[in-house]
Amino acid sequence: MTPRPSVEPVPAASVAAFDHECDVLVVGFGCAGAAAAYEAATAGADVLVLERAGGPGGSSAMSGGELYLGGGTAIQRACGFEDDPDNMFAYLTAALGPHADEEKLRLYCEGGVEHFEWFRARGVPFNESFFDAPSWMPPTTDGLMWLGENAWPYTTVARPVPRGHRPAVESWGGRLLMEKLVEAARAAGAACHADTRATNLVVGGDGRVAGVVARRYGEQVTYRARRGVVLTTGGFVDNEEMLADHAPVLLGHGKVSDGLDDGGGIRMATALGAATRRMGEVEIAMTALPAMLVRGMLVNGLGRRFINEDVYPGLFSVAAVRHQPGPYWAIIDEEGYENIPARDLWGVRPVFVAETLAELEESLGVPPGALEDTVAVYNRHAERGEDPYFHKDPKWLRPLKGPFAAADPRLGFGMGDRDSAGKGTGAAGFTLGGLRTTVDGEVLNQSARPIPGLYAAGRASSGIHGEGYVSGTSLGDGTFFGRRAGRAVAKEA
Amino acid sequence: MTPRPSVEPVPAASVAAFDHECDVLVVGFGCAGAAAAYEAATAGADVLVLERAGGPGGSSAMSGGELYLGGGTAIQRACGFEDDPDNMFAYLTAALGPHADEEKLRLYCEGGVEHFEWFRARGVPFNESFFDAPSWMPPTTDGLMWLGENAWPYTTVARPVPRGHRPAVESWGGRLLMEKLVEAARAAGAACHADTRATNLVVGGDGRVAGVVARRYGEQVTYRARRGVVLTTGGFVDNEEMLADHAPVLLGHGKVSDGLDDGGGIRMATALGAATRRMGEVEIAMTALPAMLVRGMLVNGLGRRFINEDVYPGLFSVAAVRHQPGPYWAIIDEEGYENIPARDLWGVRPVFVAETLAELEESLGVPPGALEDTVAVYNRHAERGEDPYFHKDPKWLRPLKGPFAAADPRLGFGMGDRDSAGKGTGAAGFTLGGLRTTVDGEVLNQSARPIPGLYAAGRASSGIHGEGYVSGTSLGDGTFFGRRAGRAVAKEA
């Protein structure tokens, strides 16, 4: 094991004079950092944000920009959907659980409408229109979409209501979202030092976090934070050693990040004795086309189905990569293929086409007879409009007949996943585990007590996720609990 | 979140006078603690072992006593098996991997023969005889057994050689094993304070671990360790909050432990900034009878097979509980049932018996037609002596025909699993993740540098396990790296 550059805390007494001072120091200018900086500055604190990249945005700016919000937002109402916090809570408990943080989840659901209005008031535009088809991301500017609420088993525990809120841009919306949030933080008075990477926390003799040591253009710079430090440094998908230690399931897959999610904030805080939670949980996105899967089937390396293909794509991706032997294949027949809307847009190209399933089995290397058995069982039930194994919505059920085609998610679909499209494993993800925090972002130590002066939000912390993930919940909880952390730290003496 | 009793480090300067002093303080008297204490005392150190229970033994004494050892031990040779460290390494890399610690695993395989002789020299008796049938634990005193080496896919990466070494006692051997190791540590000069629970590490101004604070009969007691502290406190399966934070897959299942594996050592060290590794990895044992499964099949809650039933039972248990929808069922026909050896010994009693699979499907609540489909595919291939899906050994393959029976692992089989037999989920386990250590047991901080004076071994540390587990590897790596830690700490100034 090679010793890494030190992330150990630095005693305040060893810092002769701080180069910079502020009330609240936010480390990382992604969505959580922007939200925390906005609220702290609005509450009257002198706020400084450090960002190690050349400018703000972080991984948030590279995301699709979906926000998982509900409970009865203006868009939901305009599109004819009735929602309430309990119904939202029931869905998220099932989809993000089991074992999600119930207190955080409850607050998040109760605050959904207010949080949506906060985005609108910051200038993020949303269209009051609804996209009603399976997709990772609609090829439209519709403001509302399903994020798995309309699929089994979630339909059995909560009334299906769409909660995917999307900024009014075609395709990736993270850039616009971050422009508005950064603008808001700056307008509220927050300053930013870019190209500045925090390396160590500075701790007073009383155990209180008093600032950070940072590197800027190769020089050491010290920052004093009179009220506290908020770590919004992101997760650790870009740190191979941390992945090997905590989330090896992501090793070898693509990374959904800006390339700087190296877990620095998590390590600085754990070096001081901070507790972590769920360091092994991850988001995984497979580059398979949902509109193709619902019309055919998703099979594993044994040629067997394992999930209802109309579930939220993040959930079938995790089900595949975490729990099924690969490789994974989308199998479809001619009629289904012809019916995929906008398939040229996504660049859907089957890898293998065959008149019979026996031929296809040979091409894919699945056990002989496997696809024949799988399709025979599927068809037998589909004729009656049933899917007793996985409960795909009857509207997608239809006996499949040759010729057949197989598409390989490993080849990507040009969906804009910068890292894995066209190469790699066809899956990419990021980490969900991180520092253990209270609902106000206070970082807890191993005795479950807040470390004075230290806050965290976003993927540097463990948020509302248990063992599941749905798009929009990371931008969602990052901004929601980032705001709470910003308000709480601003109140410190 | 309720604050817990503090596990935060205590400054040495705040301890007016230590109640006790020694060279090496070992915390926890299970197998790793006994091994560390023996070696440190043999190297001339003044050794004291703290044990929070009324006497030594820990969870190790409640175990089966299997030791995963090989590379060409005397028993292996006497039973006619040729083994070598590379072959052992190839198997364990596959069975404990992926992503096991290669350096630890390599040393463990190279040291297998010497480590076996060390147990014999400490008076642990082993018979030079071989038990050649699928079982969690042989109903004999044979000294050697298979631990999964003879099953696919392991047969494709390593020459199959049995490496399960068992003390010469009928059924559970952990008690005898621990008697001998404790006796050896005491004979070497190690003293023990029982009923003494370490609560905090004591740390000098130079950052060196100088001892511990402990509780004994409600009183606080302080211990100074001149050379270092070795944490051998076990895992955290008995700490529900830590399970929820790090290994929620075990929540609700039984616990394989002495009831005191509360992660205390891990928390004391992480409070000081120690790094952890693989906190989510677990051992899981399902109370299904291997001798029954190989003759029939193991199916999930959808009535589908998912693994070759002749694999090591720890591996089918993990495959089920981590990756398959439950409940799980052992399905067998009359001929297979009649051929189970010693089935009365294990108390095998089918829960459902039926003439047809359709009846059985209804009883089990699996999708209609599911067992018929599963058995039809199984039989079609079994007639040709093949299992193209899961590669069970042809010697177990035979078309199944009615009447059929189903057994429910949730009901237990009276196998001696104290916690879950006859009730619960049918699965029980313990944690494998813990402190990040070097091969000499030095505990590393978040910058990958050793914390001076602090060592760990056994389940308080992350050992040779990646994402898999095989019986005997926990007693195995606990004693192997416990010994190395004992030798290393004895050398400190």
Side-chain angles (χ1 to χ4, degrees):
Chain A
M1 267 160 284
T2 318
R4 297 176 286 225
S6 172
V7 293
E8 307 306 311
V10 171
S14 73
V15 181
F18 285 91
D19 298 311
H20 302 278
E21 276 201 32
C22 58
D23 290 330
V24 171
L25 188 71
V26 177
V27 185
F29 213 159
C31 77
Y38 170 84
E39 293 288 353
T42 300
D46 169 22
V47 178
L48 181 57
V49 188
L50 305 186
E51 170 55 48
R52 60 182 287 193
S59 297
S60 305
M62 305 185 70
S63 74
E66 299 93 351
L67 296 162
Y68 198 90
L69 297 169
T73 66
I75 298 187
Q76 288 181 306
R77 281 182 281 115
C79 295
F81 293 100
E82 272 188 43
D83 196 13
D84 62 74
D86 287 346
N87 194 44
M88 181 180 176
F89 181 79
Y91 171 70
L92 284 181
T93 299
L96 303 185
H99 312 306
D101 184 320
E102 193 176 323
E103 190 185 5
K104 283 182 180 168
L105 202 49
R106 182 70 71 182
L107 282 171
Y108 184 73
C109 294
E110 284 166 359
V113 172
E114 187 275 340
H115 197 44
F116 170 71
E117 290 303 332
W118 180 80
F119 284 108
R120 283 228 284 212
R122 303 288 80 73
V124 183
F126 296 92
N127 288 328
E128 295 190 342
S129 60
F130 175 50
F131 181 82
D132 186 16
S135 181
W136 273 108
M137 186 184 297
T140 67
T141 60
D142 292 317
L144 190 63
M145 69 183 288
W146 293 109
L147 287 175
E149 303 90 345
N150 57 343
W152 189 90
Y154 309 105
T155 48
T156 67
V157 297
R159 191 162 33 81
V161 177
R163 298 193 190 87
H165 287 65
R166 306 177 55 236
V169 281
E170 279 188 32
S171 117
W172 303 79
R175 178 70 53 195
L176 173 66
L177 182 76
M178 283 309 301
E179 276 170 16
K180 298 298 181 186
L181 297 191
V182 168
E183 198 176 290
R186 284 189 161 140
C192 174
H193 286 190
D195 292 310
T196 306
R197 181 166 65 88
T199 56
N200 311 76
L201 295 173
V202 175
V203 185
D206 55 356
R208 187 178 180 83
V209 172
V212 308
V213 174
R215 304 288 296 179
R216 192 177 190 189
Y217 304 128
E219 303 283 318
Q220 182 173 292
V221 206
T222 53
Y223 291 86
R224 182 171 168 229
R226 288 178 291 260
R227 300 191 196 175
V229 171
V230 186
L231 297 171
T232 52
T233 44
F236 57 92
V237 71
D238 293 309
N239 184 322
E240 293 283 306
E241 193 175 346
M242 284 184 80
L243 284 186
D245 281 353
H246 304 296
V249 68
L250 280 183
L251 288 171
H253 294 297
K255 297 165 194 319
V256 175
S257 83
D258 64 353
L260 300 174
D261 288 343
D262 70 351
I266 296 172
R267 286 190 292 134
M268 280 188 272
T270 49
L272 186 60
T276 57
R277 194 164 183 276
R278 304 296 175 85
M279 291 288 279
E281 300 304 337
V282 298
E283 184 263 6
I284 294 173
M286 207 158 69
T287 51
L289 191 65
M292 181 172 181
L293 290 182
V294 293
R295 289 170 170 82
M297 54 174 66
L298 176 62
V299 299
N300 63 17
L302 298 172
R304 311 206 304 178
R305 288 178 74 213
F306 53 91
I307 198 165
N308 42 330
E309 292 84 355
D310 58 347
V311 81
Y312 171 66
L315 295 171
F316 73 57
S317 300
V318 167
V321 176
R322 289 206 87 142
H323 301 300
Q324 298 292 325
Y328 318 105
W329 301 96
I331 308 288
I332 197 162
D333 66 357
E334 191 164 25
E335 181 181 337
Y337 181 73
E338 296 298 335
N339 287 334
I340 300 172
R343 66 174 187 275
D344 295 336
L345 179 73
W346 302 116
V348 179
R349 272 176 297 276
V351 180
F352 297 106
V353 179
E355 284 300 318
T356 70
L357 290 166
E359 287 170 66
L360 204 53
E361 285 161 5
E362 209 178 313
S363 301
L364 306 189
V366 302
L371 287 179
E372 284 176 348
D373 287 332
T374 297
V375 171
V377 169
Y378 181 86
N379 285 356
R380 191 174 80 218
H381 294 298
E383 270 161 23
R384 293 197 299 263
E386 291 171 6
D387 177 17
Y389 284 89
F390 304 108
H391 310 278
K392 183 158 67 172
D393 191 312
K395 77 179 170 191
W396 304 115
L397 294 171
R398 176 181 61 75
L400 306 179
K401 53 182 191 294
F404 296 94
D408 181 354
R410 285 175 300 181
L411 299 180
F413 284 109
M415 284 180 59
D417 174 347
R418 293 148 178 80
D419 198 77
S420 65
K423 64 181 162 61
T425 66
F430 58 86
T431 60
L432 296 173
L435 299 169
R436 195 174 175 206
T437 54
T438 67
V439 296
D440 291 313
E442 299 160 293
V443 175
L444 298 174
N445 70 11
Q446 294 289 339
S447 309
R449 293 183 179 83
I451 295 174
L454 189 62
Y455 293 76
R459 290 291 64 81
S461 67
S462 173
I464 61 176
H465 304 94
E467 298 166 30
Y469 184 78
V470 169
S471 274
T473 53
S474 193
L475 293 175
D477 88 344
T479 48
F480 187 83
F481 291 101
R483 290 177 63 201
R484 291 184 65 99
R487 287 197 296 264
V489 67
K491 281 186 199 142
E492 293 235 4
Chain B
M1 268 160 285
T2 318
R4 299 176 285 224
S6 170
V7 294
E8 306 307 309
V10 170
S14 72
V15 181
F18 286 91
D19 298 311
H20 302 277
E21 276 201 30
C22 59
D23 290 330
V24 171
L25 188 70
V26 177
V27 184
F29 213 160
C31 77
Y38 169 85
E39 292 287 355
T42 300
D46 169 22
V47 178
L48 181 58
V49 188
L50 304 187
E51 169 56 48
R52 61 182 288 194
S59 296
S60 306
M62 306 184 72
S63 74
E66 299 93 353
L67 296 162
Y68 198 91
L69 297 169
T73 66
I75 299 187
Q76 288 181 306
R77 282 182 280 115
C79 294
F81 293 101
E82 271 188 44
D83 196 11
D84 62 74
D86 287 346
N87 194 46
M88 180 178 174
F89 181 79
Y91 172 70
L92 284 181
T93 299
L96 303 184
H99 312 307
D101 183 321
E102 192 175 323
E103 190 185 6
K104 283 182 179 167
L105 202 48
R106 183 66 73 181
L107 282 172
Y108 184 72
C109 294
E110 284 167 359
V113 171
E114 187 277 339
H115 197 45
F116 171 71
E117 291 302 332
W118 181 81
F119 283 106
R120 284 229 284 211
R122 304 288 81 70
V124 183
F126 297 92
N127 288 328
E128 296 189 341
S129 60
F130 175 51
F131 181 82
D132 185 16
S135 182
W136 272 109
M137 187 184 298
T140 66
T141 60
D142 291 317
L144 190 64
M145 68 182 290
W146 292 110
L147 286 175
E149 303 89 345
N150 56 343
W152 188 91
Y154 310 105
T155 48
T156 68
V157 297
R159 195 173 69 261
V161 177
R163 297 192 191 88
H165 286 65
R166 307 178 55 235
V169 281
E170 278 187 32
S171 112
W172 303 78
R175 179 69 55 193
L176 174 67
L177 182 76
M178 283 308 301
E179 277 169 17
K180 298 298 182 186
L181 297 190
V182 168
E183 198 176 291
R186 284 188 160 141
C192 174
H193 286 191
D195 291 310
T196 305
R197 183 166 64 87
T199 57
N200 310 75
L201 295 173
V202 175
V203 184
D206 54 356
R208 187 177 180 83
V209 173
V212 308
V213 174
R215 304 290 295 179
R216 192 177 189 190
Y217 304 128
E219 302 285 316
Q220 182 173 292
V221 207
T222 53
Y223 291 86
R224 181 170 171 232
R226 287 179 291 260
R227 300 191 196 173
V229 171
V230 186
L231 296 171
T232 51
T233 45
F236 56 93
V237 71
D238 293 309
N239 185 321
E240 294 284 305
E241 194 176 344
M242 283 184 80
L243 284 187
D245 282 353
H246 304 296
V249 68
L250 280 183
L251 288 171
H253 294 296
K255 297 163 194 318
V256 175
S257 82
D258 63 355
L260 300 173
D261 288 343
D262 70 352
I266 296 172
R267 286 191 291 135
M268 281 188 270
T270 49
L272 186 60
T276 56
R277 192 161 184 278
R278 303 296 173 84
M279 289 290 278
E281 300 303 337
V282 299
E283 183 264 7
I284 294 173
M286 208 159 68
T287 53
L289 191 64
M292 180 172 179
L293 290 181
V294 292
R295 290 169 171 82
M297 55 173 64
L298 175 63
V299 300
N300 63 18
L302 298 172
R304 310 205 306 175
R305 289 179 74 213
F306 52 91
I307 198 165
N308 43 329
E309 293 84 356
D310 59 346
V311 81
Y312 171 66
L315 296 171
F316 73 58
S317 299
V318 167
V321 175
R322 289 207 87 140
H323 302 300
Q324 297 292 326
Y328 318 103
W329 302 96
I331 308 288
I332 198 163
D333 65 357
E334 192 164 25
E335 181 182 338
Y337 182 73
E338 296 299 334
N339 287 335
I340 300 172
R343 66 174 188 273
D344 294 335
L345 179 74
W346 302 115
V348 180
R349 273 176 298 276
V351 179
F352 297 106
V353 178
E355 285 300 318
T356 70
L357 290 165
E359 288 170 65
L360 204 55
E361 285 161 5
E362 211 178 314
S363 302
L364 306 190
V366 301
L371 288 179
E372 283 176 347
D373 287 332
T374 297
V375 172
V377 170
Y378 181 85
N379 285 357
R380 191 172 80 219
H381 294 297
E383 269 162 23
R384 295 197 298 264
E386 290 173 5
D387 178 17
Y389 283 89
F390 305 107
H391 308 279
K392 183 158 67 172
D393 191 312
K395 76 179 170 190
W396 303 115
L397 294 171
R398 177 181 61 75
L400 305 180
K401 54 181 188 293
F404 297 95
D408 182 354
R410 285 175 300 180
L411 299 180
F413 285 109
M415 282 181 61
D417 176 344
R418 293 148 180 81
D419 197 78
S420 66
K423 63 179 164 58
T425 64
F430 57 87
T431 60
L432 297 174
L435 299 169
R436 193 173 178 208
T437 55
T438 67
V439 295
D440 290 314
E442 300 160 292
V443 175
L444 298 175
N445 70 10
Q446 294 289 340
S447 309
R449 293 185 180 83
I451 296 175
L454 190 62
Y455 293 77
R459 290 292 62 83
S461 67
S462 172
I464 60 175
H465 304 96
E467 296 166 33
Y469 184 77
V470 169
S471 274
T473 53
S474 192
L475 293 175
D477 89 343
T479 49
F480 187 83
F481 292 101
R483 291 176 63 200
R484 291 183 66 99
R487 287 197 296 263
V489 66
K491 281 188 200 141
E492 293 235 4

